[in-house]
Amino acid sequence: MKKIIDGLSVNLEGNNNNKPIIFVHGFPYDSTMWQSQIDLLKEKYFCVAYDIRGLGESPAGQGQFTMESFVDDLETIINELNLEKPILCGLSMGGYIALRAVEKFEDKFSAIIFCDTRADADGNEGKLKRAAAIKRIDSEGLAPFTKDFVTNCFGENFKQNNKNEFENRITKSTAFNPVGVKGSLLAMMGRNDTTEYLSKIKIPALILCGEFDALTPPSVMKPMAEKIKDSDFVLIKNSGHMSPIENPKEVNEAIIKFLGKL
């Protein structure tokens, strides 16, 4: 079932009397990236997956986004749906949103799942890359940037053996509003560093990382997991940055095992 909350496109699957799980997608994708996880979990959990403002079917407006405004959107969804202590699951940019949300109001959540993300903010090099991406979109249009960025997200195994799905992901992201894509780049560029809060997280945490993730590699994510007390770290084999799409079987197994311990 689809619901519009404060302009955001929110997909709801499962019984709303069950434990809620909120899925926050990465950049530049939409909530459909979580379908393999939702198909597995919707029988026992109430699955909430929304399109981040400016991406997917959520309108971009003026595109002046911040990570704080993205977190405000998440909180609005929690409040509007009256979600009681949801489990929060975020990948990449969705992980940035999840990290800041936990830092801001951890008591609203019962557990956290971080997929292929990082806690540190952009350094100077990262900020310049985001700025260059915005400039490229302005001068060349969205398609060239999207093709290059999405290609870098996926591991070679997936690109070679799932060519149709890989191409469909590029096509889908290319159809987004360039204003929304640039707004997401601005939000990521200006986000705060949440590294210091990792050691303060009290809720159960699962950290998933693709074996061949080129954007947030295991060398970044394993130390992040070590900072979170009693967290579980799982390396997803034969996967790049988009592990829930590239190897849904291992991601689902890790999530089910984690949820079974709660």
Side-chain angles (χ1 to χ4, degrees), residues 12-21 41-48 81-85:
L12 309 172
E13 296 198 41
N15 189 325
N16 62 3
N17 290 318
N18 290 337
K19 183 72 175 176
I21 302 181
L41 297 170
K42 65 185 179 182
E43 295 301 319
K44 294 185 178 180
Y45 294 87
F46 181 47
C47 298
V48 179
L81 295 175
N82 295 311
L83 301 179
E84 181 67 25
K85 294 275 189 178

PDB file of all heavy atoms in Angstrom, residues 12-21 41-48 81-85:
ATOM      1  N   LEU A  12       4.015   0.728   2.284  1.00  0.00           N
ATOM      2  CA  LEU A  12       3.740  -0.036   3.496  1.00  0.00           C
ATOM      3  C   LEU A  12       3.369  -1.460   3.118  1.00  0.00           C
ATOM      4  O   LEU A  12       2.475  -1.671   2.300  1.00  0.00           O
ATOM      5  CB  LEU A  12       2.587   0.605   4.283  1.00  0.00           C
ATOM      6  CG  LEU A  12       2.700   2.111   4.562  1.00  0.00           C
ATOM      7  CD1 LEU A  12       1.410   2.639   5.164  1.00  0.00           C
ATOM      8  CD2 LEU A  12       3.873   2.383   5.497  1.00  0.00           C
ATOM      9  N   GLU A  13       4.041  -2.434   3.706  1.00  0.00           N
ATOM     10  CA  GLU A  13       3.724  -3.836   3.448  1.00  0.00           C
ATOM     11  C   GLU A  13       3.743  -4.616   4.750  1.00  0.00           C
ATOM     12  O   GLU A  13       4.639  -4.450   5.577  1.00  0.00           O
ATOM     13  CB  GLU A  13       4.715  -4.441   2.445  1.00  0.00           C
ATOM     14  CG  GLU A  13       4.660  -3.811   1.060  1.00  0.00           C
ATOM     15  CD  GLU A  13       5.305  -4.663  -0.010  1.00  0.00           C
ATOM     16  OE1 GLU A  13       5.114  -5.898   0.018  1.00  0.00           O
ATOM     17  OE2 GLU A  13       6.003  -4.090  -0.870  1.00  0.00           O
ATOM     18  N   GLY A  14       2.729  -5.481   4.926  1.00  0.00           N
ATOM     19  CA  GLY A  14       2.618  -6.265   6.139  1.00  0.00           C
ATOM     20  C   GLY A  14       1.548  -5.723   7.060  1.00  0.00           C
ATOM     21  O   GLY A  14       0.908  -4.701   6.791  1.00  0.00           O
ATOM     22  N   ASN A  15       1.378  -6.396   8.168  1.00  0.00           N
ATOM     23  CA  ASN A  15       0.367  -6.037   9.167  1.00  0.00           C
ATOM     24  C   ASN A  15       0.916  -4.954  10.088  1.00  0.00           C
ATOM     25  O   ASN A  15       1.974  -5.129  10.695  1.00  0.00           O
ATOM     26  CB  ASN A  15       0.002  -7.283   9.979  1.00  0.00           C
ATOM     27  CG  ASN A  15      -1.187  -7.070  10.886  1.00  0.00           C
ATOM     28  OD1 ASN A  15      -1.388  -5.978  11.428  1.00  0.00           O
ATOM     29  ND2 ASN A  15      -1.983  -8.107  11.071  1.00  0.00           N
ATOM     30  N   ASN A  16       0.193  -3.840  10.206  1.00  0.00           N
ATOM     31  CA  ASN A  16       0.692  -2.731  11.039  1.00  0.00           C
ATOM     32  C   ASN A  16       0.637  -3.031  12.529  1.00  0.00           C
ATOM     33  O   ASN A  16       1.069  -2.205  13.345  1.00  0.00           O
ATOM     34  CB  ASN A  16      -0.033  -1.424  10.719  1.00  0.00           C
ATOM     35  CG  ASN A  16      -1.526  -1.470  10.998  1.00  0.00           C
ATOM     36  OD1 ASN A  16      -2.040  -2.486  11.492  1.00  0.00           O
ATOM     37  ND2 ASN A  16      -2.217  -0.400  10.668  1.00  0.00           N
ATOM     38  N   ASN A  17       0.133  -4.197  12.910  1.00  0.00           N
ATOM     39  CA  ASN A  17       0.185  -4.610  14.319  1.00  0.00           C
ATOM     40  C   ASN A  17       1.500  -5.311  14.642  1.00  0.00           C
ATOM     41  O   ASN A  17       1.811  -5.537  15.817  1.00  0.00           O
ATOM     42  CB  ASN A  17      -0.981  -5.551  14.642  1.00  0.00           C
ATOM     43  CG  ASN A  17      -2.319  -4.831  14.632  1.00  0.00           C
ATOM     44  OD1 ASN A  17      -2.427  -3.718  15.139  1.00  0.00           O
ATOM     45  ND2 ASN A  17      -3.332  -5.459  14.052  1.00  0.00           N
ATOM     46  N   ASN A  18       2.254  -5.656  13.610  1.00  0.00           N
ATOM     47  CA  ASN A  18       3.546  -6.312  13.815  1.00  0.00           C
ATOM     48  C   ASN A  18       4.643  -5.289  14.079  1.00  0.00           C
ATOM     49  O   ASN A  18       4.461  -4.087  13.879  1.00  0.00           O
ATOM     50  CB  ASN A  18       3.910  -7.149  12.583  1.00  0.00           C
ATOM     51  CG  ASN A  18       3.030  -8.378  12.434  1.00  0.00           C
ATOM     52  OD1 ASN A  18       2.450  -8.863  13.408  1.00  0.00           O
ATOM     53  ND2 ASN A  18       2.905  -8.878  11.215  1.00  0.00           N
ATOM     54  N   LYS A  19       5.785  -5.786  14.514  1.00  0.00           N
ATOM     55  CA  LYS A  19       6.934  -4.919  14.777  1.00  0.00           C
ATOM     56  C   LYS A  19       7.320  -4.179  13.500  1.00  0.00           C
ATOM     57  O   LYS A  19       7.515  -4.795  12.450  1.00  0.00           O
ATOM     58  CB  LYS A  19       8.114  -5.773  15.263  1.00  0.00           C
ATOM     59  CG  LYS A  19       9.351  -4.994  15.628  1.00  0.00           C
ATOM     60  CD  LYS A  19       9.155  -4.231  16.924  1.00  0.00           C
ATOM     61  CE  LYS A  19      10.416  -3.536  17.369  1.00  0.00           C
ATOM     62  NZ  LYS A  19      10.211  -2.728  18.579  1.00  0.00           N
ATOM     63  N   PRO A  20       7.483  -2.848  13.556  1.00  0.00           N
ATOM     64  CA  PRO A  20       7.824  -2.094  12.348  1.00  0.00           C
ATOM     65  C   PRO A  20       9.326  -2.075  12.055  1.00  0.00           C
ATOM     66  O   PRO A  20      10.162  -2.039  12.958  1.00  0.00           O
ATOM     67  CB  PRO A  20       7.314  -0.686  12.662  1.00  0.00           C
ATOM     68  CG  PRO A  20       7.352  -0.587  14.150  1.00  0.00           C
ATOM     69  CD  PRO A  20       7.138  -1.967  14.688  1.00  0.00           C
ATOM     70  N   ILE A  21       9.641  -2.119  10.758  1.00  0.00           N
ATOM     71  CA  ILE A  21      11.003  -1.909  10.267  1.00  0.00           C
ATOM     72  C   ILE A  21      10.945  -0.815   9.207  1.00  0.00           C
ATOM     73  O   ILE A  21      10.144  -0.886   8.280  1.00  0.00           O
ATOM     74  CB  ILE A  21      11.604  -3.180   9.636  1.00  0.00           C
ATOM     75  CG1 ILE A  21      11.625  -4.341  10.631  1.00  0.00           C
ATOM     76  CG2 ILE A  21      13.026  -2.914   9.144  1.00  0.00           C
ATOM     77  CD1 ILE A  21      12.239  -5.618  10.058  1.00  0.00           C
ATOM     78  N   LEU A  41      10.355 -10.284   4.865  1.00  0.00           N
ATOM     79  CA  LEU A  41      10.005  -9.875   6.228  1.00  0.00           C
ATOM     80  C   LEU A  41       8.547  -9.472   6.428  1.00  0.00           C
ATOM     81  O   LEU A  41       8.073  -9.395   7.566  1.00  0.00           O
ATOM     82  CB  LEU A  41      10.909  -8.709   6.658  1.00  0.00           C
ATOM     83  CG  LEU A  41      12.402  -9.024   6.742  1.00  0.00           C
ATOM     84  CD1 LEU A  41      13.197  -7.735   6.923  1.00  0.00           C
ATOM     85  CD2 LEU A  41      12.692  -9.989   7.885  1.00  0.00           C
ATOM     86  N   LYS A  42       7.810  -9.218   5.345  1.00  0.00           N
ATOM     87  CA  LYS A  42       6.473  -8.623   5.479  1.00  0.00           C
ATOM     88  C   LYS A  42       5.453  -9.534   6.165  1.00  0.00           C
ATOM     89  O   LYS A  42       4.417  -9.053   6.632  1.00  0.00           O
ATOM     90  CB  LYS A  42       5.955  -8.186   4.114  1.00  0.00           C
ATOM     91  CG  LYS A  42       5.724  -9.319   3.131  1.00  0.00           C
ATOM     92  CD  LYS A  42       5.319  -8.758   1.767  1.00  0.00           C
ATOM     93  CE  LYS A  42       5.103  -9.863   0.749  1.00  0.00           C
ATOM     94  NZ  LYS A  42       4.751  -9.297  -0.586  1.00  0.00           N
ATOM     95  N   GLU A  43       5.731 -10.840   6.231  1.00  0.00           N
ATOM     96  CA  GLU A  43       4.793 -11.739   6.895  1.00  0.00           C
ATOM     97  C   GLU A  43       4.825 -11.575   8.412  1.00  0.00           C
ATOM     98  O   GLU A  43       3.802 -11.755   9.081  1.00  0.00           O
ATOM     99  CB  GLU A  43       5.098 -13.201   6.524  1.00  0.00           C
ATOM    100  CG  GLU A  43       4.898 -13.524   5.062  1.00  0.00           C
ATOM    101  CD  GLU A  43       3.480 -13.257   4.584  1.00  0.00           C
ATOM    102  OE1 GLU A  43       2.538 -13.575   5.330  1.00  0.00           O
ATOM    103  OE2 GLU A  43       3.323 -12.713   3.472  1.00  0.00           O
ATOM    104  N   LYS A  44       5.993 -11.208   8.940  1.00  0.00           N
ATOM    105  CA  LYS A  44       6.138 -11.107  10.394  1.00  0.00           C
ATOM    106  C   LYS A  44       6.389  -9.692  10.881  1.00  0.00           C
ATOM    107  O   LYS A  44       6.311  -9.426  12.085  1.00  0.00           O
ATOM    108  CB  LYS A  44       7.275 -12.016  10.871  1.00  0.00           C
ATOM    109  CG  LYS A  44       6.996 -13.504  10.688  1.00  0.00           C
ATOM    110  CD  LYS A  44       8.107 -14.350  11.280  1.00  0.00           C
ATOM    111  CE  LYS A  44       7.802 -15.839  11.132  1.00  0.00           C
ATOM    112  NZ  LYS A  44       8.887 -16.671  11.723  1.00  0.00           N
ATOM    113  N   TYR A  45       6.704  -8.784   9.960  1.00  0.00           N
ATOM    114  CA  TYR A  45       7.022  -7.410  10.331  1.00  0.00           C
ATOM    115  C   TYR A  45       6.206  -6.429   9.492  1.00  0.00           C
ATOM    116  O   TYR A  45       5.760  -6.762   8.386  1.00  0.00           O
ATOM    117  CB  TYR A  45       8.517  -7.131  10.140  1.00  0.00           C
ATOM    118  CG  TYR A  45       9.406  -7.921  11.062  1.00  0.00           C
ATOM    119  CD1 TYR A  45       9.846  -9.204  10.707  1.00  0.00           C
ATOM    120  CD2 TYR A  45       9.803  -7.415  12.296  1.00  0.00           C
ATOM    121  CE1 TYR A  45      10.656  -9.944  11.550  1.00  0.00           C
ATOM    122  CE2 TYR A  45      10.613  -8.154  13.148  1.00  0.00           C
ATOM    123  CZ  TYR A  45      11.030  -9.413  12.772  1.00  0.00           C
ATOM    124  OH  TYR A  45      11.828 -10.152  13.619  1.00  0.00           O
ATOM    125  N   PHE A  46       6.022  -5.239  10.018  1.00  0.00           N
ATOM    126  CA  PHE A  46       5.375  -4.162   9.274  1.00  0.00           C
ATOM    127  C   PHE A  46       6.482  -3.361   8.602  1.00  0.00           C
ATOM    128  O   PHE A  46       7.257  -2.667   9.267  1.00  0.00           O
ATOM    129  CB  PHE A  46       4.566  -3.273  10.222  1.00  0.00           C
ATOM    130  CG  PHE A  46       3.837  -2.148   9.550  1.00  0.00           C
ATOM    131  CD1 PHE A  46       3.088  -2.375   8.408  1.00  0.00           C
ATOM    132  CD2 PHE A  46       3.886  -0.866  10.067  1.00  0.00           C
ATOM    133  CE1 PHE A  46       2.405  -1.337   7.781  1.00  0.00           C
ATOM    134  CE2 PHE A  46       3.207   0.180   9.459  1.00  0.00           C
ATOM    135  CZ  PHE A  46       2.465  -0.060   8.306  1.00  0.00           C
ATOM    136  N   CYS A  47       6.602  -3.494   7.291  1.00  0.00           N
ATOM    137  CA  CYS A  47       7.714  -2.918   6.542  1.00  0.00           C
ATOM    138  C   CYS A  47       7.340  -1.549   5.975  1.00  0.00           C
ATOM    139  O   CYS A  47       6.350  -1.419   5.244  1.00  0.00           O
ATOM    140  CB  CYS A  47       8.134  -3.847   5.412  1.00  0.00           C
ATOM    141  SG  CYS A  47       8.740  -5.454   5.986  1.00  0.00           S
ATOM    142  N   VAL A  48       8.147  -0.550   6.306  1.00  0.00           N
ATOM    143  CA  VAL A  48       7.945   0.822   5.849  1.00  0.00           C
ATOM    144  C   VAL A  48       9.163   1.214   5.024  1.00  0.00           C
ATOM    145  O   VAL A  48      10.279   1.243   5.542  1.00  0.00           O
ATOM    146  CB  VAL A  48       7.777   1.789   7.040  1.00  0.00           C
ATOM    147  CG1 VAL A  48       7.592   3.227   6.548  1.00  0.00           C
ATOM    148  CG2 VAL A  48       6.613   1.363   7.929  1.00  0.00           C
ATOM    149  N   LEU A  81       2.690   7.581  11.329  1.00  0.00           N
ATOM    150  CA  LEU A  81       2.268   6.178  11.317  1.00  0.00           C
ATOM    151  C   LEU A  81       2.161   5.594  12.720  1.00  0.00           C
ATOM    152  O   LEU A  81       1.801   4.420  12.865  1.00  0.00           O
ATOM    153  CB  LEU A  81       3.248   5.345  10.480  1.00  0.00           C
ATOM    154  CG  LEU A  81       3.304   5.661   8.981  1.00  0.00           C
ATOM    155  CD1 LEU A  81       4.404   4.844   8.308  1.00  0.00           C
ATOM    156  CD2 LEU A  81       1.961   5.397   8.313  1.00  0.00           C
ATOM    157  N   ASN A  82       2.485   6.405  13.735  1.00  0.00           N
ATOM    158  CA  ASN A  82       2.445   5.948  15.136  1.00  0.00           C
ATOM    159  C   ASN A  82       3.272   4.674  15.336  1.00  0.00           C
ATOM    160  O   ASN A  82       2.822   3.705  15.964  1.00  0.00           O
ATOM    161  CB  ASN A  82       0.997   5.708  15.587  1.00  0.00           C
ATOM    162  CG  ASN A  82       0.192   6.982  15.620  1.00  0.00           C
ATOM    163  OD1 ASN A  82       0.618   7.991  16.182  1.00  0.00           O
ATOM    164  ND2 ASN A  82      -0.993   6.952  15.013  1.00  0.00           N
ATOM    165  N   LEU A  83       4.474   4.688  14.786  1.00  0.00           N
ATOM    166  CA  LEU A  83       5.339   3.521  14.878  1.00  0.00           C
ATOM    167  C   LEU A  83       5.974   3.435  16.265  1.00  0.00           C
ATOM    168  O   LEU A  83       6.607   4.375  16.727  1.00  0.00           O
ATOM    169  CB  LEU A  83       6.427   3.573  13.804  1.00  0.00           C
ATOM    170  CG  LEU A  83       5.936   3.635  12.357  1.00  0.00           C
ATOM    171  CD1 LEU A  83       7.117   3.700  11.404  1.00  0.00           C
ATOM    172  CD2 LEU A  83       5.042   2.452  12.024  1.00  0.00           C
ATOM    173  N   GLU A  84       5.814   2.288  16.895  1.00  0.00           N
ATOM    174  CA  GLU A  84       6.335   2.084  18.244  1.00  0.00           C
ATOM    175  C   GLU A  84       7.690   1.391  18.179  1.00  0.00           C
ATOM    176  O   GLU A  84       7.799   0.230  17.794  1.00  0.00           O
ATOM    177  CB  GLU A  84       5.356   1.236  19.061  1.00  0.00           C
ATOM    178  CG  GLU A  84       5.790   0.973  20.498  1.00  0.00           C
ATOM    179  CD  GLU A  84       5.814   2.216  21.381  1.00  0.00           C
ATOM    180  OE1 GLU A  84       5.065   3.167  21.060  1.00  0.00           O
ATOM    181  OE2 GLU A  84       6.580   2.235  22.364  1.00  0.00           O
ATOM    182  N   LYS A  85       8.739   2.118  18.528  1.00  0.00           N
ATOM    183  CA  LYS A  85      10.094   1.564  18.580  1.00  0.00           C
ATOM    184  C   LYS A  85      10.468   0.759  17.331  1.00  0.00           C
ATOM    185  O   LYS A  85      10.802  -0.436  17.408  1.00  0.00           O
ATOM    186  CB  LYS A  85      10.253   0.683  19.821  1.00  0.00           C
ATOM    187  CG  LYS A  85      10.176   1.422  21.144  1.00  0.00           C
ATOM    188  CD  LYS A  85      11.515   1.996  21.512  1.00  0.00           C
ATOM    189  CE  LYS A  85      11.535   2.544  22.925  1.00  0.00           C
ATOM    190  NZ  LYS A  85      12.849   3.060  23.319  1.00  0.00           N
TER     191      LYS A  85
END
